[in-house]
Amino acid sequence: MRCAAILRVIVILLTLITTWYFAEKMYSNRDNMKSLRSIFEKKKAQFSCGNEKPCPDDYFAFKIISGAANVVGPSMCFENSIIMSSIKNNIGRGLNIALINASTGVVIKTSSFDMYSGDVKPLLEFIKPVAEGTLVFVASYDDPGTKLNDEARAVFASFGSSYSKKIGFRDSWLFVGGKGISTKSPFEQHIKNNKETNKYDGWPEVLEMEGCIPKKTN
Ligand SMILES: *[C@@H]1O[C@H](CO)[C@@H](O)[C@H](O)[C@H]1NC(C)=O
């Protein structure tokens, strides 16, 4: 009788102890997961423009995204601020271009040019006078190619573009170059509009490009 009572107490105690043990384990695990997650979230937010990798001190961080078909506008982030986007209401179909001072990182001006029903003249007036030491950011939206002429293509090529001569109707195109760079830019992506490979009905897929640009030192 007494023996049974003692046994019962022992069983109850054991049950309590194991329950406490597992509960404790689960809680601490959950806390670990939480702190792990917050570390990752902090890391991600820390990098300029939400980029995967940080840029060294003497570099500018950027991320640019082309338009999606004729539906979602492109966006450009430079040094953690959005300089062109639908929300900023400064983008449009065609070519979206931002000019940035390559030493200070100050945005000189931004504009968009309709390359389907527009005229190439305003584009030429925008890109031809660009001064030495200016970074040139380009993102396509819907149709960047129809009205591009040889003169405009040559100006982009002089900024370091490899594809400007081939841009056509509804291609996707991203480019970062500069006035006064003598080499081809490493920051360029291009997809041809091609019925066989298009992601959307009449358009190729969206392009996204991020990177670090060395600040120009004089
Ligand atoms: C960039 O900014 C510096 C300092 O304000 C200025 O001297 C230089 O002319 C600017 N360059 C361009 C291309 O705007």
Side-chain angles (χ1 to χ4, degrees):
M1 187 73 184
R2 242 186 111 146
C3 215
I6 288 169
L7 254 178
R8 199 172 300 151
V9 168
I10 288 172
V11 167
I12 288 167
L13 272 176
L14 269 176
T15 311
L16 277 174
I17 288 166
T18 40
T19 307
W20 170 78
Y21 175 78
F22 282 111
E24 163 77 18
K25 251 198 131 131
M26 267 168 63
Y27 271 103
S28 63
N29 255 343
R30 211 179 58 176
D31 283 352
N32 284 343
M33 296 291 279
K34 251 193 217 155
S35 52
L36 216 65
R37 204 181 310 140
S38 70
I39 286 168
F40 276 119
E41 274 162 6
K42 260 190 212 128
K43 271 264 163 65
K44 207 167 177 183
Q46 266 169 12
F47 299 153
S48 199
C49 293
N51 287 355
E52 277 172 32
K53 287 182 197 160
C55 291
D57 278 349
D58 44 352
Y59 282 70
F60 296 121
F62 75 89
K63 178 187 276 183
I64 58 179
I65 303 168
S66 71
N70 59 347
V71 180
V72 182
S75 75
M76 293 189 191
C77 175
F78 183 81
E79 287 286 272
N80 219 22
S81 57
I82 303 291
I83 56 171
M84 293 190 89
S85 74
S86 303
I87 292 169
K88 279 197 76 113
N89 200 24
N90 61 354
I91 53 110
R93 291 192 192 178
L95 287 175
N96 293 272
I97 305 179
L99 304 178
I100 294 175
N101 186 312
S103 353
T104 60
V106 170
V107 178
I108 300 164
K109 48 184 166 177
T110 65
S111 193
S112 71
F113 302 93
D114 185 336
M115 290 286 109
Y116 181 73
S117 48
D119 190 333
V120 75
K121 261 200 195 132
L123 173 69
L124 288 169
E125 281 163 14
F126 191 81
I127 56 177
K128 278 170 70 177
V130 163
E132 193 96 0
T134 305
L135 297 172
V136 180
F137 286 70
V138 181
S140 65
Y141 181 24
D142 189 9
D143 177 20
T146 299
K147 291 283 173 69
L148 264 189
N149 63 4
D150 288 347
E151 191 179 5
R153 291 173 195 275
V155 175
F156 286 120
S158 79
F159 295 157
S161 169
S162 310
Y163 297 117
S164 62
K165 304 236 158 95
K166 303 176 220 162
I167 303 299
F169 175 64
R170 288 185 177 174
D171 289 356
S172 287
W173 184 35
L174 288 180
F175 168 63
V176 180
K179 173 78 173 192
I181 67 165
S182 47
T183 53
K184 288 295 171 198
S185 167
F187 301 118
E188 185 166 25
Q189 294 184 4
H190 173 236
I191 314 182
K192 273 253 155 256
N193 167 17
N194 178 339
K195 276 197 192 81
E196 310 297 312
T197 53
N198 278 350
K199 169 151 183 190
Y200 307 106
D201 227 2
W203 295 266
E205 67 188 298
V206 171
L207 291 172
E208 187 172 326
M209 179 167 74
E210 62 178 62
C212 306
I213 303 167
K215 292 178 185 170
K216 187 173 181 286
T217 49
N218 295 303

